[in-house]
């Protein structure tokens, strides 16, 4: 399934953004969806995952600040990011898997840039 991440931008520290992950022409409710990010000079890391059941998982670095959710009617998965920090600056990607939360090596579509800076 081809995924498209959107919603990134420039935000001040402490601000919020909501990222969207969509798959035009496909149904996401049969998939586990994961969010990943890659900062310049760093390896890609997992941020969050939502199971088909709605169970969610978060990296320790974003726990309590980020919320993943899915709207099956809109065929979209969201990542609400609050209390953003400069270290959240990265390109964010989403990925899908039918069986488990997507691995970091999963194919990912076009990412969206998030820049946290004053």
């Amino acid at each position: 399934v081809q995924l498209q991440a959107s919603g990134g931008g420039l935000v001040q520290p402490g601000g919020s953004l909501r990222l969207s992950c969509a798959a035009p022409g496909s149904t996401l409710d049969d998939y586990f969806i994961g969010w990943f990010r890659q900062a310049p000079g760093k390896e890609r890391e997992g941020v969050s995952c939502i199971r088909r059941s709605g169970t969610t998982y978060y990296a320790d670095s974003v726990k309590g600040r980020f919320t993943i959710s899915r709207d099956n009617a809109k065929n979209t998965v969201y990542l609400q990011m609050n209390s953003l920090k400069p270290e959240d600056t990265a390109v964010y990607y989403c990925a899908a898997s039918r069986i488990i939360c997507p691995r970091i090596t999963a194919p990912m579509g076009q990412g969206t840039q998030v820049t946290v800076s004053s």
Side-chain angles (χ1 to χ4, degrees), residues 1-3 23 25-34 49-55 70 72 75 77 95-102:
V1 57
Q2 291 281 357
L3 299 178
S26 299
T27 301
L28 288 184
D29 55 355
D30 290 338
Y31 291 87
F32 293 65
I33 303 296
C49 176
I50 186 165
R51 299 169 62 103
R52 289 176 294 184
S53 64
T55 301
R70 64 195 311 156
N72 290 336
N75 208 29
V77 172
S97 174
R98 286 192 180 273
I99 302 174
I100 58 173
C101 282

Side-chain angles (χ1 to χ4, degrees), residues 5-9 11 15-21 35 66-71 74 76-82 84 92 112 114:
S6 62
V11 63
S16 298
L17 282 174
R18 188 178 76 163
L19 305 184
S20 299
C21 176
W35 282 99
F66 290 12
T67 303
I68 190 171
S69 62
R70 64 195 311 156
D71 185 337
K74 295 184 177 180
T76 301
V77 172
Y78 301 102
L79 185 68
Q80 178 67 44
M81 307 186 297
N82 299 328
L84 282 162
Y92 284 71
T112 186
V114 172

